[in-house]
Amino acid sequence: MHNTQIEDWLKLAGGKENIRFVEHDKGTTTLVLKDSTQLNMSVLASTDYVADIRVTGNHCHLAIKDESSLICNTLLSMGVGETEGRALQEAGHAKKNRFSILHFVSDVFRPLMPAILGAAVIKILLIIITLINTYSSADSSTLMDSQTFTIFKSIGDSAFYLLPILVAVSTAYRLKSNIYVAASIGGLMFHPQLSYLLASEGQVHFMGVPMVSQPAFLSASLWMFLTILAASYMEKAVGRISPGVLQGILTPVLTLGVLVPLILMVLGPLGTWIQDQMPGAMNSLLDDAPIVAIVLLGATFSLLLLAGLHYWLVPIIINELMINGYSIIFPAMIVAYVAQAGAAFASGLRSKQPEFRRLAFWATGTALLGVPEPAMYAVNIRKKASFYAALLGGAAGGLYYGLVSVKSFVFSESVSLLGIPFFMETDSLNVLHTCIGMVIAFCVSGLLVNWQAGRGSKNRIG
């Protein structure tokens, strides 16, 4: 942080003596000022700085975008607002230190977005090429079967294949834990030998505890967050009590040799129970209350994705196609993706930060084309209102699909707008209803985000 920038911010605030308190929260440094009349607005006119100034009664807040906390740390090191700020900070300590899991998840994923977005664009282009090949009269099987196409497909899948390691490293970085131990834990969760063992026929046991047969469940983002969180606490606790000669070796040994097996002994039975109960519960709900089932899937599919539970829907969808010739679960997955896109698009429109706007609009496009992770993790989950709006948008689209009985006649990895041809049926309005449901999901989630943002603006003004 350049000294001239700090001087400019102090000049804007009316000098060091006019600052009561400095605080940092969710990427923003806020200066609580004593006298709003001391603000020097000429600083904003002569520079390209952006600040949010809120004056309510006798209170004046100057909010500055500060993702890396550099401005806050520099001002605190200069003793700005130290005397009065300490008392105010202690009074609001409990409120400001509430742990927000949604905001934490977003903070973990945002640094990963360049890799995920880059791989997503390549992945989407390959899906488009595959669909063109499927519906084209020209024979392009040589391209599809070529080694070049296979390598490009591996490139597009690389970031998603390595996502457990990327999430583990980013989580450890946020928690100031050992990123290399975290990477080892992330790699274990999809180690080829472990995956092969779990996917083999017959029940697998670890120290007498049954293990889940779906390897991808263990590497889901939610369980990775919680595992690295537990590892960070263990690292700090062991570091305080371990003798000097064992510093640096005892912690990773206990983390990898004790904590990770304990995590597996918890997730193994949990996954096994879900594996045994979920298919039966889903089939029963589809038989007794199909509309309710589609509404719930449209609303909660994003949560299933976060916890790695969506993998158990695949055999149910395949069973639907084999018995009925169509699936009503696959459409619910699509509206969930589209709802995430709608919420991300509205968040981008409402934001005044150019960087966030670009991310939101790119995330909107990838979600519509079958890659919802940027929209869900980096944009919507950062604000509870946006994330809940996306869930409600998925529920609204699912309700429409359930009422008009929208069906998919093909199951594909392309859960996106590119999959609309999969809904074609002779002498039927199935495709039209499919498009209407997508529009409903997109608009409902977007309008809810916009409405909630408008309410927040009015509350700040008041």
Side-chain angles (χ1 to χ4, degrees):
M1 177 61 62
H2 299 297
N3 290 334
T4 54
Q5 290 180 298
I6 294 297
E7 291 174 1
D8 287 338
W9 289 121
L10 290 175
K11 185 178 178 182
L12 172 62
K16 292 173 56 175
E17 61 280 356
N18 192 41
I19 300 176
R20 294 183 60 200
F21 180 46
V22 180
E23 61 181 349
H24 184 271
D25 185 43
K26 298 181 180 179
T28 301
T29 291
T30 302
L31 310 182
V32 181
L33 308 183
K34 299 177 182 177
D35 185 2
S36 62
T37 62
Q38 298 295 318
L39 282 168
N40 189 346
M41 302 301 293
S42 63
V43 174
L44 295 180
S46 59
T47 64
D48 58 354
Y49 300 153
V50 177
D52 182 17
I53 301 173
R54 301 189 299 274
V55 179
T56 306
N58 295 325
H59 301 285
C60 180
H61 296 77
L62 173 61
I64 307 166
K65 185 175 182 292
D66 185 19
E67 289 284 351
S68 56
S69 308
L70 285 177
I71 298 175
C72 180
N73 293 335
T74 304
L75 292 175
L76 291 176
S77 67
M78 296 169 61
V80 175
E82 186 175 8
T83 304
E84 296 187 43
R86 187 178 294 112
L88 292 172
Q89 188 176 27
E90 290 176 356
H93 181 78
K95 180 179 179 180
K96 289 298 180 183
N97 283 278
R98 291 175 182 170
F99 181 73
S100 171
I101 183 64
L102 296 181
H103 199 275
F104 177 76
V105 170
S106 178
D107 284 342
V108 167
F109 268 90
R110 291 193 77 174
L112 308 181
M113 283 304 106
I116 293 178
L117 284 172
V121 171
I122 295 175
K123 192 179 182 73
I124 290 168
L125 289 175
L126 295 178
I127 292 175
I128 293 174
I129 293 174
T130 303
L131 288 175
I132 292 175
N133 173 72
T134 302
Y135 293 101
S136 173
S137 57
D139 184 13
S140 57
S141 58
T142 303
L143 171 64
M144 302 301 298
D145 297 334
S146 68
Q147 295 174 345
T148 300
F149 189 87
T150 302
I151 292 174
F152 269 112
K153 189 172 182 181
S154 299
I155 294 173
D157 290 335
S158 59
F160 300 96
Y161 180 75
L162 296 173
L163 194 59
I165 294 180
L166 298 177
V167 170
V169 169
S170 185
T171 303
Y173 179 80
R174 296 291 306 178
L175 295 172
K176 297 179 175 60
S177 183
N178 190 309
I179 61 174
Y180 304 106
V181 173
S184 301
I185 296 174
L188 166 70
M189 296 307 184
F190 68 101
H191 191 284
Q193 190 171 1
L194 178 62
S195 299
Y196 177 78
L197 177 64
L198 294 178
S200 61
E201 294 184 5
Q203 182 69 61
V204 177
H205 290 78
F206 174 66
M207 299 180 68
V209 175
M211 296 295 294
V212 61
S213 64
Q214 181 57 263
F217 171 75
L218 297 177
S219 60
S221 299
L222 177 61
W223 313 127
M224 194 58 60
F225 296 141
L226 297 178
T227 300
I228 303 304
L229 180 62
S232 71
Y233 280 115
M234 185 172 189
E235 178 180 326
K236 292 178 176 63
V238 174
R240 286 193 296 267
I241 63 174
S242 61
V245 69
L246 295 178
Q247 285 285 348
I249 186 63
L250 184 60
T251 299
V253 167
L254 293 179
T255 300
L256 295 174
V258 178
L259 178 64
V260 173
L262 288 175
I263 296 294
L264 292 176
M265 292 175 69
V266 172
L267 293 181
L270 176 63
T272 301
W273 181 82
I274 295 173
Q275 178 178 282
D276 293 339
Q277 301 297 323
M278 186 173 179
M282 180 59 62
N283 288 326
S284 176
L285 192 59
L286 288 172
D287 292 338
D288 299 336
I291 296 178
V292 174
I294 303 306
V295 171
L296 290 177
L297 280 174
T300 63
F301 184 76
S302 299
L303 300 177
L304 299 180
L305 193 66
L306 179 64
L309 303 180
H310 60 295
Y311 295 105
W312 279 290
L313 293 178
V314 175
I316 300 176
I317 294 174
I318 294 175
N319 185 61
E320 277 188 305
L321 292 171
M322 292 179 61
I323 295 177
N324 304 323
Y326 59 83
S327 171
I328 62 174
I329 295 179
F330 187 70
M333 297 164 60
I334 289 185
V335 289
Y337 283 19
V338 172
Q340 292 290 341
F345 183 73
S347 297
L349 289 178
R350 298 288 308 195
S351 177
K352 297 179 181 179
Q353 302 174 10
E355 182 181 351
F356 182 80
R357 287 170 64 90
R358 286 194 298 270
L359 172 61
F361 293 148
W362 270 102
T364 299
T366 59
L368 290 175
L369 296 176
V371 184
E373 284 84 357
M376 187 169 74
Y377 294 133
V379 179
N380 296 334
I381 212 169
R382 193 167 185 82
K383 295 182 179 180
K384 290 188 292 184
S386 298
F387 189 63
Y388 295 155
L391 301 185
L392 291 174
L399 176 61
Y400 181 81
Y401 277 2
L403 291 174
V404 298
S405 300
V406 170
K407 310 177 187 68
S408 171
F409 301 95
V410 178
F411 176 62
S412 168
E413 62 177 336
S414 177
V415 187
S416 67
L417 299 182
L418 301 175
I420 290 179
F422 303 154
F423 294 81
M424 296 177 62
E425 184 181 23
T426 305
D427 299 328
S428 171
L429 297 177
N430 195 61
V431 172
L432 176 62
H433 290 310
T434 300
C435 295
I436 293 175
M438 291 181 181
V439 172
I440 291 174
F442 189 92
C443 292
V444 168
S445 60
L447 290 174
L448 285 174
V449 170
N450 189 65
W451 172 71
Q452 187 64 33
R455 283 187 59 195
S457 298
K458 291 180 180 179
N459 290 338
R460 285 194 295 271
I461 294 174

